[in-house]
Amino acid sequence: MKPAFPTLLFTIAVMAVSATLSGCSSESNSFTSRAFHNTTARYNGHYYALEEITKIEEIIRKNNRDDYNRVLNLFPRLDSALAKSYDAEVQEAIKMASIAIQRHPNSKWSDDSYILVGKGRLYSLDWGNAIQTFKYVNTKSDDINTRHQALLLLARTFTEHGEYSNDEAAFDFLQKEKLSKQNLKNFYLERAHYYQVRHNDDYFVKYLTEAVPLLRKKDRPGRIYFILGQVYQKLGFESEAYNYFRKCIETHPEYEVDFYARLYMAQVAEISRSRDIAHARKSFKKLLKDTKNRDFVDKIYLEIGVFERKQGNIDEAIENFELAIRKGNNKQIDGEAYLKLGEIYYDTLKKFELAKLYYDSTVSTLNKDFENYPAIKTRQEVLTEFVKHLRTIEWQDSLMVMAKMDSVELMTHIQAVLESQKKTEEKTSKRKRRNRVDISQVSTSFTTTTSIQGTDWYFGNPSAQALGQQEFKRIWGNIPLEDNWRRSSRGVPMAQRPTTIIPTTSEDKATEEISTEPESIDPVMSEFNRIKKEIPLTDEQIEESLGKIEEAYFLLGDIYYFKLQEKYNAVATYEKLLTRFPTTHYRPEVLYKLYLMFKETQPEKAERYAQELTNDFPETTFAKILINPDYLLESSQVVEKQKVLYREAYLKFETQQPAEALEIVEKALADEVTSFTPNLALLKILIVGKSQSIAHYQLSLEEFTKQYPENELAGYAKKLLDASRSFELKQEKSNLQFSQSFDAPHYFVLVYKTESKIEDVVSKTLEGFNQNQFKSQGLKVSNLILDESQSLTFVSDLSNMNEAQEYYRVFTEKQPTLTALKNHKFNTFVITKSNFDILYRTKSLDEYLQFFEKNYLPKNP
């Protein structure tokens, strides 16, 4: 007989294993069960989900392109195109985290797994589900630190999605809470990120500075120090900027960050003695000599230029800005260098013609998202208008001078000018880097002794263009503009190509002997003929030319006075206008403006202008304003004028002449603001609305109601807005088509009245239903607001139409047993993801229910 001892041991072992396994049930709360589920959840589902999320964050970081010419972003911007590249990682992270949640619901890693699910949805720009996930953790988690973490990520989601009011509410709540060190650091960083997105530098630097003592090595503190240095430099606190750039270098950051920190540190170094200036210049030279900085030479020259300008060394600044343009190929740095040169010629040297050329290059080179780009564009437009009027005066004056020359003198003069231009072009052609425009070589003189129409640029010079066209025709003939024109003209013999003959005039003996051979075309003669046509010879032509000069002086004075804020030049221009054109119809207005300019500084001179205005032009509005400053407010003259213009504009509008109507309205709006201004503003919206998009029209009406909330027209504007939105919705619904492609993932949707407040009840009921009936499918339940009165709860991850129909069938059968849903009214249906997007956008619930009944429900036999 064998001993019973081994059998007894085996029985005990089996009992122990059975006890252990029974204790590891997901429903059990024993010590053994908790230990098992905590360990398994952490080192399985949660671990692999964390690995995927870390991988996604690394992809986002590596694909972030820093622009060191502006303040770096604290966090990389999330991009929808990039999100598609890591979609597989997102799905895997959500899948692994969901396994940890579903198989180990009582483990302490369940909330952390929900956090990872939320992060995955955030990084994939699934805003709605990310928000719901973080809200769930915040309300359900027992751990205060995890709740705070969820709120911080919720705030991040709000920031990325632009829900700033919700952001503020989250931050206000967290500020009152006692946060762990990790959450406190993240609170400061998230709030700093929020203020950077909102372009509030003061609060951005405030919260980022608060985070500094809490930073760890994995937070890349060198980068954060660099950003702080940039912001402090931008705000003008150069000593603080210097300290943070130095701290950045001490952390041994990536080479690019280190380079720019050293570059900007030299820029903001405290300069109190000449020795400091020499030291700063030495730092710049050292950076230039370092071969590792070969790709950053243009940036170094740009910063040297900024430094020299700060020291008042304008010539050195200009030289270095030009080197920045010539030495590199970075378009953004070129744009900044052009801008700096434009600012020098505009603000310091007051050479507005040269400034205009640099601003032209700035606008065509800089990205449109560059800081203050709209203001830069506005200044460029002002300078373009300025130069236009200046050239008008100088060209018309040149024509008046040339009108007094005989043909021989004119020919000699044109020849001298063209030879001068040719020498300039030859000199410029010897310069290095011909592909870059040397703006300083462009002639800024418009007088007849130096240039013809004042430009050496080919496409800005009609003469050069005309010569080019003639040379082209001489070689290729008068061929039509078409593709492959070179090949299509090769079969045409030279003798058959048309010969261009410059037209002759009977007045000019110098043109009588022109040969008809193409080789004999003379550029001087071509220019002579072109100019001859523009020279004013008759009284009418002379009067027209003088009228152009008169108007240009007036507009030039206005630009100096109002847009360039150049009072001295404005006075000189206005006085020149009055001297040259004593009877100008602009005289009353010019006298009034001169009075205003001298009223504070030279009251005696201002009084002389006032006396002339009131004595010689007593009935003008300007004289009446001078006598009574409240004249326009007290009288109805402006209002009556606006009403007349309004009637004219409205008539044009009714007769389908929007351009003329808009011009009249703009003219009326240019007058003083009156009680009638809202009428004009609304008419302008109606006129512009015909040619603009419906979105622009609706936005204009919204802004009108905000700007004039107390005006009686606000109600009418609101009606127009409501009518437009209603029409837009009807148009969209009339063209509504749901997709017939059913071979796609589906949702099961339950829609109910928002006021019933049953979203939590519905969610829990569906989660329980899924657990009982479809446990193996891992279905997810989410909530959304459909419109102002209805909400919905949907079940996702139904892989195809058959699964969706089966789910709908089982739910319909089991619905009477779902006691929590009794006494509540709701609609249920299944829907593809693409059709769900259409439904959510158009709110066309009734239309989809019809579509659902037709395509999903079985037909009665």
Side-chain angles (χ1 to χ4, degrees):
M1 184 175 178
K2 292 184 179 180
F5 183 69
T7 305
L8 180 61
L9 286 178
F10 177 77
T11 303
I12 293 171
V14 169
M15 291 175 63
V17 170
S18 300
T20 302
L21 291 175
S22 64
C24 294
S25 166
S26 63
E27 305 300 325
S28 174
N29 197 30
S30 66
F31 172 80
T32 306
S33 176
R34 290 198 305 272
F36 171 78
H37 286 293
N38 286 338
T39 304
T40 308
R42 179 179 183 182
Y43 293 107
N44 283 285
H46 178 273
Y47 174 83
Y48 290 113
L50 181 61
E51 287 284 301
E52 296 299 326
I53 292 296
T54 304
K55 195 184 301 181
I56 292 166
E57 290 172 341
E58 186 65 17
I59 291 171
I60 294 171
R61 188 181 73 81
K62 284 185 176 179
N63 281 274
N64 180 53
R65 294 291 177 264
D66 287 322
D67 181 0
Y68 290 89
N69 298 309
R70 62 180 73 186
V71 177
L72 300 186
N73 293 323
L74 181 58
F75 295 147
R77 294 285 186 260
L78 298 181
D79 177 70
S80 57
L82 179 62
K84 292 178 182 177
S85 70
Y86 54 74
D87 183 65
E89 286 81 359
V90 169
Q91 299 307 320
E92 184 66 15
I94 293 175
K95 176 184 172 184
M96 290 294 103
S98 299
I99 288 173
I101 294 166
Q102 292 166 4
R103 296 183 182 177
H104 313 286
N106 293 327
S107 80
K108 65 181 181 180
W109 294 96
S110 179
D111 294 340
D112 299 85
S113 298
Y114 271 114
I115 291 287
L116 295 178
V117 171
K119 278 190 172 184
R121 289 169 171 170
L122 167 62
Y123 294 146
S124 62
L125 279 65
D126 185 1
W127 311 116
N129 284 323
I131 290 169
Q132 290 297 328
T133 304
F134 294 134
K135 282 184 176 180
Y136 176 83
V137 177
N138 178 52
T139 54
K140 301 297 182 182
S141 177
D142 295 328
D143 182 61
I144 186 68
N145 292 328
T146 304
R147 293 206 302 271
H148 290 159
Q149 183 185 4
L151 268 180
L152 286 166
L153 288 166
L154 180 63
R156 172 74 180 280
T157 308
F158 286 144
T159 301
E160 298 296 342
H161 196 220
E163 299 182 38
Y164 301 128
S165 58
N166 291 334
D167 237 340
E168 288 286 357
F171 285 133
D172 288 344
F173 175 81
L174 284 166
Q175 197 159 14
K176 299 170 186 174
E177 295 286 292
K178 185 176 181 180
L179 304 177
S180 66
K181 281 188 177 181
Q182 179 68 22
N183 283 336
L184 183 61
K185 176 190 70 178
N186 289 336
F187 169 77
Y188 290 138
L189 291 175
E190 292 292 351
R191 196 146 199 190
H193 172 61
Y194 165 78
Y195 282 114
Q196 184 178 33
V197 171
R198 300 300 303 275
H199 306 292
N200 189 326
D201 289 335
D202 291 328
Y203 280 101
F204 173 45
V205 78
K206 174 182 182 294
Y207 285 102
L208 198 55
T209 306
E210 295 277 7
V212 165
L214 303 170
L215 295 176
R216 296 179 181 178
K217 188 174 182 179
K218 67 177 183 179
D219 299 314
R220 300 166 71 197
R223 178 185 172 84
I224 292 177
Y225 293 146
F226 180 79
I227 293 172
L228 280 166
Q230 284 185 300
V231 181
Y232 275 120
Q233 183 180 11
K234 181 181 176 183
L235 295 174
F237 298 100
E238 296 193 343
S239 61
E240 287 294 325
Y242 183 89
N243 291 334
Y244 276 109
F245 286 138
R246 187 176 60 186
K247 282 185 179 181
C248 170
I249 294 169
E250 290 170 356
T251 65
H252 306 291
E254 302 97 325
Y255 180 74
E256 201 167 6
V257 176
D258 182 275
F259 163 76
Y260 279 100
R262 293 179 188 278
L263 182 63
Y264 292 146
M265 192 165 69
Q267 185 67 259
V268 298
E270 185 178 353
I271 304 297
S272 57
R273 297 165 297 177
S274 60
R275 190 169 60 185
D276 296 330
I277 297 175
H279 179 73
R281 287 178 178 148
K282 187 176 179 181
S283 299
F284 285 125
K285 287 181 180 178
K286 186 177 178 182
L287 289 170
L288 283 171
K289 288 180 180 178
D290 193 335
T291 56
K292 294 194 296 294
N293 299 334
R294 193 177 304 157
D295 294 335
F296 305 115
V297 168
D298 50 353
K299 179 63 177 176
I300 298 172
Y301 279 120
L302 178 69
E303 293 303 322
I304 295 173
V306 173
F307 175 82
E308 294 296 351
R309 186 184 177 192
K310 196 186 299 183
Q311 310 313 314
N313 303 321
I314 300 302
D315 291 340
E316 289 80 358
I318 291 173
E319 180 184 354
N320 281 285
F321 289 140
E322 289 176 347
L323 283 169
I325 296 168
R326 289 202 294 269
K327 293 289 185 180
N329 295 306
N330 188 317
K331 196 174 179 183
Q332 193 68 10
I333 292 176
D334 286 354
E336 288 195 54
Y338 284 131
L339 176 61
K340 297 298 182 186
L341 287 164
E343 288 173 347
I344 288 174
Y345 285 108
Y346 183 99
D347 296 319
T348 307
L349 302 179
K350 307 297 182 185
K351 294 183 178 180
F352 300 116
E353 298 142 80
L354 267 177
K356 183 260 182 191
L357 298 177
Y358 282 113
Y359 270 98
D360 285 347
S361 298
T362 300
V363 168
S364 64
T365 307
L366 280 180
N367 293 331
K368 289 183 172 53
D369 62 349
F370 186 80
E371 188 176 11
N372 294 327
Y373 183 88
I376 295 168
K377 184 75 169 68
T378 299
R379 181 174 281 193
Q380 181 254 350
E381 289 168 352
V382 169
L383 289 169
T384 298
E385 186 183 0
F386 170 86
V387 170
K388 171 189 169 185
H389 299 315
L390 194 61
R391 286 181 175 173
T392 296
I393 293 170
E394 294 178 336
W395 180 240
Q396 293 300 324
D397 276 339
S398 297
L399 291 174
M400 301 284 279
V401 172
M402 287 188 282
K404 299 176 182 178
M405 299 179 183
D406 59 30
S407 297
V408 176
E409 287 178 315
L410 181 58
M411 183 74 75
T412 304
H413 169 70
I414 292 172
Q415 187 171 4
V417 171
L418 291 177
E419 286 178 358
S420 173
Q421 289 181 343
K422 187 177 180 181
K423 289 179 182 178
T424 303
E425 288 171 3
E426 289 174 352
K427 187 187 267 186
T428 305
S429 66
K430 295 177 182 178
R431 292 178 174 271
K432 294 180 181 180
R433 306 297 295 272
R434 281 291 285 133
N435 61 315
R436 290 179 179 268
V437 176
D438 191 349
I439 296 178
S440 63
Q441 293 302 310
V442 178
S443 172
T444 58
S445 172
F446 300 88
T447 62
T448 60
T449 59
T450 58
S451 70
I452 303 296
Q453 279 199 303
T455 178
D456 290 333
W457 282 348
Y458 177 82
F459 289 106
N461 189 330
S463 304
Q465 290 185 63
L467 289 173
Q469 290 167 3
Q470 289 169 5
E471 182 67 8
F472 180 88
K473 288 178 182 179
R474 182 182 71 79
I475 298 173
W476 297 100
N478 192 21
I479 64 174
L481 182 61
E482 59 183 10
D483 293 338
N484 303 316
W485 59 269
R486 290 175 66 93
R487 289 198 294 273
S488 63
S489 64
R490 279 178 181 170
V492 182
M494 181 65 73
Q496 295 180 18
R497 294 179 188 164
T499 303
T500 302
I501 303 175
I502 301 177
T504 62
T505 60
S506 57
E507 304 170 0
D508 189 359
K509 293 180 181 179
T511 65
E512 288 179 358
E513 300 300 324
I514 296 179
S515 170
T516 58
E517 293 298 323
E519 290 78 4
S520 65
I521 295 176
D522 185 356
V524 177
M525 186 56 63
S526 173
E527 187 71 1
F528 174 86
N529 287 330
R530 187 190 66 79
I531 293 174
K532 189 75 173 174
K533 293 176 183 177
E534 293 190 46
I535 291 176
L537 299 174
T538 67
D539 291 341
E540 291 79 8
Q541 290 173 337
I542 293 172
E543 185 177 349
E544 182 184 355
S545 180
L546 289 172
K548 290 178 181 178
I549 296 171
E550 179 184 353
E551 182 184 31
Y553 268 121
F554 176 75
L555 295 173
L556 203 58
D558 278 358
I559 292 173
Y560 272 129
Y561 185 23
F562 297 111
K563 296 179 179 179
L564 299 180
Q565 302 294 314
E566 281 290 310
K567 183 178 173 182
Y568 177 83
N569 284 325
V571 169
T573 305
Y574 284 141
E575 289 182 338
K576 195 165 187 178
L577 169 63
L578 297 182
T579 302
R580 186 167 177 181
F581 303 96
T583 60
T584 176
H585 64 283
Y586 296 116
R587 193 172 190 90
E589 186 174 350
V590 170
L591 289 170
Y592 180 69
K593 289 173 181 173
L594 288 169
Y595 161 78
L596 293 177
M597 282 189 277
F598 286 113
K599 185 170 68 171
E600 300 296 333
T601 56
Q602 298 183 48
E604 312 86 18
K605 196 169 186 177
E607 185 58 31
R608 288 201 299 273
Y609 287 123
Q611 287 292 332
E612 182 181 349
L613 178 59
T614 54
N615 292 339
D616 296 351
F617 308 97
E619 296 303 317
T620 61
T621 303
F622 299 103
K624 292 177 179 179
I625 295 172
L626 189 62
I627 296 168
N628 177 15
D630 296 327
Y631 167 75
L632 290 177
L633 297 175
E634 295 173 0
S635 70
S636 61
Q637 180 175 344
V638 175
V639 172
E640 291 304 317
K641 177 184 174 183
Q642 289 179 331
K643 287 180 178 179
V644 171
L645 292 171
Y646 180 92
R647 284 192 289 270
E648 292 177 13
Y650 194 80
L651 183 61
K652 296 286 186 184
F653 174 65
E654 282 191 316
T655 55
Q656 305 298 317
Q657 301 178 65
E660 293 83 352
L662 183 60
E663 185 178 354
I664 295 170
V665 170
E666 294 282 13
K667 183 179 178 182
L669 286 170
D671 287 329
E672 296 288 330
V673 175
T674 68
S675 59
F676 197 73
T677 298
N679 300 64
L680 293 165
L682 186 56
L683 179 57
K684 181 179 178 181
I685 292 171
L686 297 176
I687 295 169
V688 174
K690 287 210 166 189
S691 59
Q692 295 288 348
S693 66
I694 192 168
H696 183 276
Y697 173 66
Q698 291 173 358
L699 179 62
S700 300
L701 287 172
E702 279 184 1
E703 290 175 347
F704 180 90
T705 56
K706 291 176 183 177
Q707 187 174 0
Y708 305 105
E710 303 300 326
N711 192 279
E712 59 184 2
L713 290 174
Y716 179 63
K718 182 70 167 61
K719 288 180 181 179
L720 291 175
L721 181 59
D722 292 341
S724 174
R725 286 174 173 167
S726 176
F727 173 79
E728 185 181 25
L729 186 58
K730 286 179 181 177
Q731 285 289 103
E732 190 167 10
K733 285 189 174 182
S734 66
N735 299 322
L736 183 65
Q737 284 189 344
F738 289 102
S739 172
Q740 297 278 348
S741 178
F742 302 110
D743 186 19
H746 279 62
Y747 297 155
F748 170 83
V749 183
L750 192 149
V751 183
Y752 45 86
K753 295 288 185 183
T754 303
E755 62 185 18
S756 63
K757 298 180 180 178
I758 60 171
E759 56 269 13
D760 289 337
V761 173
V762 175
S763 295
K764 290 178 181 177
T765 301
L766 288 177
E767 286 171 353
F769 175 80
N770 293 343
Q771 189 71 16
N772 292 330
Q773 303 295 329
F774 300 91
K775 185 175 181 179
S776 63
Q777 294 187 22
L779 304 177
K780 301 182 184 66
V781 179
S782 304
N783 295 319
L784 275 178
I785 295 174
L786 179 60
D787 56 27
E788 295 177 353
S789 62
Q790 298 180 104
S791 297
L792 58 84
T793 300
F794 64 95
V795 177
S796 57
D797 292 345
L798 296 166
S799 60
N800 54 50
M801 182 179 184
N802 291 334
E803 279 191 17
Q805 287 177 312
E806 177 63 14
Y807 188 102
Y808 180 82
R809 184 189 66 76
V810 174
F811 180 87
T812 304
E813 290 178 357
K814 300 293 184 182
Q815 183 178 332
T817 66
L818 304 175
T819 55
L821 298 182
K822 288 182 178 179
N823 304 321
H824 294 295
K825 293 181 179 180
F826 50 84
N827 289 304
T828 56
F829 52 87
V830 293
I831 185 171
T832 62
K833 186 178 185 305
S834 59
N835 283 337
F836 182 84
D837 292 340
I838 297 172
L839 169 65
Y840 191 78
R841 186 175 65 254
T842 62
K843 318 301 181 189
S844 305
L845 179 60
D846 293 336
E847 289 81 355
Y848 182 76
L849 288 173
Q850 294 176 13
F851 178 88
F852 167 73
E853 290 175 4
K854 179 181 177 182
N855 293 280
Y856 286 87
L857 297 184
K859 307 293 187 296
N860 293 324

